[in-house]
Amino acid sequence: MNLRNLLGFVLAWLLLGGGSCSTNAPQNVLLLVADDAGFEMGAYLNKYCQTPNLDALARNGLLFNNAFSSVSSCSPSRAQLLTGQASHASGMYGLHQGVHNFNVLPEVSSLPNVLRAQSEGRILSGIIGKKHVGAGSNFRFDFEQTEEQHSINQIGRNITKIKEYAREFLARAKSEARPFFLLVGFHDPHRCGHITPQYGEFCERWGSGEEGMGTIPDWKPIYYDWRNLEVPAWLPDTDVVRQELAAQYMTISRLDQGVGLLLHELQAAGLAKETLVIYTSDNGPPFPGGRTNLYEHGIRAPLILSSPQPDARRRETSAAMASLLDIYPSVLDAFQLPPPNGTRVSGQSLLPVLHKEPEPVESDAIFGSQNYHEVTMAYPMRMVRNRRYKLIHNLNYWADFPIDQDFYTSPTFQQILNATIQRQPLPWYRTLRQYYQRPEWELYDIKADTLERINLVDKPKYSATLKQLRQKLFKWQAETADPWRCAPHAVLQDRGVFKQDPVCLTLGHEALQRPQRRLLTQYEEYLVV
């Protein structure tokens, strides 16, 4: 967090009571996180997917139309929520589990640890469902029921079990008279077709009551007729995609009913009037241009904040530029706790937006930082997006964009792949070559070009915009100690004689040519960090 943001945070904290208990502040926080969900809900004007519980939550709260994840990958995104740091700063560069083995840096702490320390154990922390971050000591909740104790489907998709563990946690919080922070990580609507295809591409039939599928007692499956669905403009307009959307919507409906169960448990425990409820998703849907991309459908996030405070905004939408990096300071703000000394936080609290819409400024910006997804997917990208323009820096642009395992086996990608190999036409606004091969810099006018089709980098008209955004992005990278801030054409030297004055020293790429790629140009900011 820079000095201006830190002073603003401290001032807001003092105005809210400086850590003393205020009757106007929510006593608890319930954070609901979907897995690879986009805007498949009625509140975001999807007229097909049935989400009555999420829609009701939106009516009782504030719905954000300009919310973004700073990273489009599961573990790094969940780490951003819990640490307030971009993936390059926290060390959670990619997926945590299995051979990927990414963990945050040893010195990085997270919300459950911070809340315990800052409140001297007064606040009870809990997590139910998907955790997917590590190491364990950096993310130590007081109450844990996750994939570390259960199979991921049982704890992330079985909404009856989620409900039962939530009831147990809420009962403990109430009996001990402790304010709480509870994170519920749904595993819906994540793909599962590459691991358990018998349950459907999105595990939409798991627990449905169909033969051999088992039953989730609290779930009433909703089946969608794929023939009646519209395909969003950013996806191939094919029946294969429609069938995938029907499966995805079925699991979204399971997620929605799970949200309804949790809100009912909160009400039954008598804690609803003391709890701030936040709903979001870790990243965009697992379709081409979605998850693992810094394009709009990879990073745009649903975000609802529902506050129990009587003067909080309800039945309204906000156009404020929000980042999921803002969740960490928002939770601390809800408990009226300052961040620990020396903590580097990229975001700022969203709670003031619950009471007053900020004046929109064209230069308002959010940032993105993608490094890996799977360990084999080394394609670091950086991004800055204001209200009109987006700039993406592809650091490994001379390599083809990588494809992750579960997306590769998906019917949608297989259709794109086979059509390309067989040289058949496909109704999609990109080609596979365009998807794989990306230039170093991508600049888009989001207002005029919502599908990000026209790269403006080489247009003289936009040279001033390009320079301004480059400088803004580089400044953020320096402020957040991005190890990649000199890449790809220079090497960062910040030790020894360079410790006090770090520099980016050129690799001489401007003098080289690579086959089938345009001449590399020196990044004009590669002088001094």
Side-chain angles (χ1 to χ4, degrees), residues 4-142:
R4 181 175 59 83
N5 286 343
L6 178 60
L7 290 174
F9 186 95
V10 172
L11 178 60
W13 174 61
L14 292 172
L15 290 173
L16 285 169
S20 62
C21 184
S22 168
T23 56
N24 290 328
Q27 301 295 302
N28 317 299
V29 177
L30 173 60
L31 174 58
L32 308 173
V33 182
D35 199 354
D36 293 1
F39 296 92
E40 306 87 5
M41 50 189 288
Y44 281 108
L45 305 182
N46 186 306
K47 60 184 179 181
Y48 298 99
C49 194
Q50 298 181 41
T51 54
N53 296 291
L54 286 169
D55 298 344
L57 181 65
R59 287 193 298 272
N60 193 48
L62 182 64
L63 183 140
F64 286 75
N65 282 323
N66 284 317
F68 302 85
S69 174
S70 73
V71 59
S72 192
S73 177
C74 181
S75 295
S77 180
R78 290 163 196 272
Q80 81 177 324
L81 293 171
L82 292 171
T83 67
Q85 298 186 32
S87 60
H88 63 251
S90 73
M92 187 65 74
Y93 305 133
L95 299 181
H96 165 65
Q97 88 288 357
V99 298
H100 315 300
N101 198 40
F102 288 104
N103 293 292
V104 295
L105 298 170
E107 66 273 15
V108 172
S109 194
S110 66
L111 272 175
N113 298 35
V114 170
L115 293 175
R116 185 183 304 107
Q118 297 292 86
S119 71
E120 298 181 342
R122 183 175 59 91
I123 296 172
L124 179 69
S125 64
I127 183 169
I128 301 168
K130 189 169 183 178
K131 186 178 182 183
H132 213 226
V133 289
S137 60
N138 298 79
F139 298 89
R140 185 166 62 85
F141 291 81
D142 300 320

Side-chain angles (χ1 to χ4, degrees), residues 39-40 45-49 224-246 248-249 287:
F39 296 92
E40 306 87 5
L45 305 182
N46 186 306
K47 60 184 179 181
Y48 298 99
C49 194
Y224 294 85
D225 186 347
W226 61 268
R227 293 166 294 187
N228 295 327
L229 300 181
E230 289 183 7
V231 176
W234 60 286
L235 295 178
D237 189 4
T238 68
D239 287 346
V240 167
V241 174
R242 288 184 180 83
Q243 290 165 5
E244 289 232 82
L245 290 175
Q248 182 202 32
Y249 290 176
F287 286 97

